[in-house]
Amino acid sequence: MAALAYECWTMKLNRSKLYQRVAASIADGIESGRWATGTRLPGERDLAEEYKVSRPTIREAMIALEMKGWIEARHGSGLYVTHRDSQGGLREDALNLDIGAFDLTEARILFEGEAAALAAVSITAEQLAELDGIAQEMSDPAVANAALFDADHRFHIAIANATGNAAIRSVVEYLWDLRTRSPLCANMFDRARRNGVNPRFDEHRPILDALHARDPHGARSAMRRHLRGVVDDLLEATELELLERARHELDARRDTLARRLEIGPD
């Protein structure tokens, strides 16, 4: 059953992904001259409306194009075209950076929400004690970021293990592996970490409380709430990074201008 779960996920991931189709279409627009090199792309909301997709999908497409060198953030006003390919645009398969953090987290909401509900009715006292210990680690302000991420991983895997279902545990482990195995996903989580997004104990406490109460509905809701918060954090962090990079560029330009203005007759 676990092998079947892996096979199903592999087949799904090998299909063309929505962010790839959007990114390839934008690259075609750049190549056809709709957006010339140096021009600003439309805003995220406008692109989402044009392509009839969500903001997270547009964000993943933009990061994929940025990773491939087609666009960049600058001037504090958005994303600008930096590249045109005389070979005829960018194929979808050339944009295959596996899946992004938003798609991954959406899958986690589905799987881990149900895993938490099942765990609530089957978890043992020993497994609750294990989760309490991990939660204690996460609540320690002296714990380094790397250790926090390790504790976060162990917390979620422990819940999957508490379901008593090997296939569920295998799927949850696979989803967590994708965080580092998928280039686009790893890039997005790295951006979030650089902007101070770390696992927080207060986000996990409601999950743990529901498990102690052996409340499947509460555990499901708490897990889904927590993971929706991850999506919100990722959206904010990737947006903040664009703004921060633009701010650094503006500061550099101001410094250059100040130096130039100092040159002149005494």
Side-chain angles (χ1 to χ4, degrees), residues 130-145:
E130 178 189 3
L131 282 168
D132 286 338
I134 297 171
Q136 185 65 34
E137 290 179 44
M138 296 180 71
S139 65
D140 185 351
V143 173
N145 286 346

Side-chain angles (χ1 to χ4, degrees), residues 26 29-41 70-71 74 79-84:
I26 292 172
I30 293 171
E31 177 60 22
S32 67
R34 179 183 178 187
W35 299 298
T37 300
T39 61
R40 181 183 182 275
L41 286 174
W70 280 66
I71 62 175
R74 63 184 187 182
L79 293 164
Y80 284 74
V81 176
T82 58
H83 178 76
R84 285 185 64 184

